[in-house]
Amino acid sequence: MKKEDTVKLISAEGMEFVIDKEAAMVSQTIRNMLTSPGGFAEAEHGEVTFPEISAVILEKICQYFYWSLQYSSYNFVGGKETEFHIEPELTLELMMAANYLHT
């Protein structure tokens, strides 16, 4: 996979998650950073730093991006509804991050 096909997401602790650009585009905020005219530094370097999002939460967000790509067009697979599992202790932080990322 070419570097321009990936995006590096960096958590508050400095943990780096390299994911497919297509997956990152699930987030309207990240999409705007990477595609808007005006030369966001994120678009230039292919990196987005989230100083307010912990590594645990950012990892779950990355998992959601891939899940969304796979299942967003349909919620049923083989007659069974698919769900994205969220641990209860992560719910509040994930909701705040999702609000910021418009996902």
Side-chain angles (χ1 to χ4, degrees):
M1 184 172 293
K2 294 185 260 180
K3 186 177 190 244
E4 54 271 1
D5 294 336
T6 62
V7 176
K8 185 186 297 182
L9 306 180
I10 305 169
S11 73
E13 303 89 348
M15 181 81 97
E16 299 178 354
F17 299 89
V18 178
I19 65 172
D20 295 329
K21 194 173 202 174
E22 180 184 10
M25 297 294 197
V26 167
S27 163
Q28 186 65 47
T29 301
I30 295 173
R31 180 182 305 138
N32 289 342
M33 289 176 177
L34 297 175
T35 62
S36 292
F40 276 105
E42 291 85 358
E44 195 173 309
H45 302 292
E47 295 182 5
V48 182
T49 302
F50 298 102
E52 301 293 323
I53 300 178
S54 70
V56 171
I57 297 300
L58 192 54
E59 179 180 19
K60 196 67 170 179
I61 289 167
C62 291
Q63 291 170 1
Y64 173 77
F65 289 164
Y66 283 104
W67 179 89
S68 181
L69 281 180
Q70 186 172 1
Y71 297 111
S72 66
S73 60
Y74 51 94
N75 285 330
F76 293 90
V77 176
K80 292 177 71 176
E81 186 173 358
T82 60
E83 291 184 9
F84 182 73
H85 178 71
I86 298 173
E87 294 79 3
E89 61 273 12
L90 300 180
T91 304
L92 181 59
E93 275 189 90
L94 273 171
M95 285 175 46
M96 291 188 309
N99 184 53
Y100 171 72
L101 295 172
H102 299 281
T103 56

